[in-house]
Amino acid sequence: MRRYGPAVLLALTGAAVLRISLFGDLYLRYVQPGLRPYLIVSGAVLVLLAAATALARREHGEADEETDAHGHSHGPAGPRVAWLLTLPALALLLFPPPALGSYSAGREAAQRAAQGVGTFPALPSGDPVELTLAEFGSRALYDSERSLTGRTVRLTGFVTHGEDGTWYVTRLLVSCCAADATTGKAEIRGAGAPPVDTWVTVTGGWHPEGELGSDAAWPPVLDATDVRRVEQPANPYEKR
């Protein structure tokens, strides 16, 4: 049975990838929506490789038996400890990990792209205006026309806590997949802090802090008029 270890490992990994990418929105915890077809193809290739590996091992085993009939002996098909490699793949198949949350956001320092101060496109008419954390942060830090002034905005993200009772609505920003995630957040004032990792939609107005582009302006501040708990969206990440 040990000869089929590599095939089992390939099959479990392929099945896990197919489960994540074919059924529901689990794949959005790992990659952007446009990469779903590549996940499906990868999973299918791994399953096909598992089948080919199992067939090759079977034929090799039959050849070994014929050789044994002529008095030749053969070593074991592989170390038993190799079967332990199937455990991570089995765990991924049965228990997909959750999306990155407050722990991942808290480990990252407040790093911002050197965008420079400039003008931004006009915001849509009507309040509240729905913004991503990335959009809100960019306008709060770099918009020379201060287009957020006097506007009511709505932000959605998960809750992280800071020092001295401060709290933030936070979102992880990705370019390709969860491995390259960075953090976008806004400090919320005027409302009590929900529990960490709670998903909320916060409505309020921008509270300017510091000079544009300065460290004092980060993170941007929102004076909340309404905080509502919501379900985690199917895609928990924002595109960077």
Side-chain angles (χ1 to χ4, degrees):
M1 186 64 185
R2 280 177 291 165
R3 70 169 67 102
Y4 295 109
V8 172
L9 180 58
L10 286 169
L12 286 175
T13 304
V17 173
L18 288 175
R19 180 200 173 191
I20 290 167
S21 55
L22 285 176
F23 304 107
D25 299 316
L26 280 174
Y27 73 99
L28 292 173
R29 299 180 182 180
Y30 308 94
V31 299
Q32 288 289 339
L35 296 179
R36 185 179 196 178
Y38 299 100
L39 278 182
I40 295 173
V41 171
S42 298
V45 168
L46 287 172
V47 171
L48 291 175
L49 284 174
T53 300
L55 181 60
R57 293 280 180 167
R58 178 181 177 184
E59 293 176 351
H60 181 69
E62 292 175 351
D64 285 350
E65 291 176 1
E66 293 177 0
T67 303
D68 287 341
H70 292 83
H72 299 287
S73 62
H74 297 271
R80 295 181 184 275
V81 72
W83 279 95
L84 294 177
L85 295 174
T86 64
L87 296 180
L90 184 61
L92 181 62
L93 176 63
L94 298 177
F95 310 105
L100 301 179
S102 59
Y103 176 73
S104 298
R107 293 181 62 192
E108 180 181 329
Q111 298 176 347
R112 306 181 297 281
Q115 300 179 28
V117 175
T119 59
F120 284 68
L123 287 170
S125 59
D127 285 334
V129 58
E130 197 96 22
L131 294 178
T132 65
L133 265 297
E135 292 169 337
F136 179 72
S138 293
R139 288 179 181 270
L141 266 68
Y142 302 114
D143 186 4
S144 60
E145 296 185 351
R146 295 183 175 262
S147 58
L148 293 173
T149 302
R151 299 299 303 270
T152 301
V153 302
R154 180 176 291 156
L155 308 174
T156 297
F158 58 89
V159 174
T160 55
H161 291 176
E163 299 177 354
D164 302 324
T166 58
W167 68 280
Y168 308 89
V169 58
T170 307
R171 206 75 178 258
L172 291 171
L173 319 176
V174 302
S175 296
C176 171
C177 59
D180 64 21
T182 58
T183 304
K185 65 181 181 180
E187 181 182 341
I188 305 302
R189 297 180 184 175
V196 170
D197 285 325
T198 302
W199 279 82
V200 295
T201 292
V202 183
T203 304
W206 175 47
H207 185 117
E209 290 279 349
E211 296 293 328
L212 291 178
S214 69
D215 289 341
W218 175 262
V221 178
L222 190 75
D223 290 325
T225 58
D226 182 68
V227 178
R228 297 185 181 182
R229 297 192 183 192
V230 297
E231 294 293 324
Q232 176 180 303
N235 185 356
Y237 308 127
E238 288 182 3
K239 187 170 180 59
R240 187 168 57 199

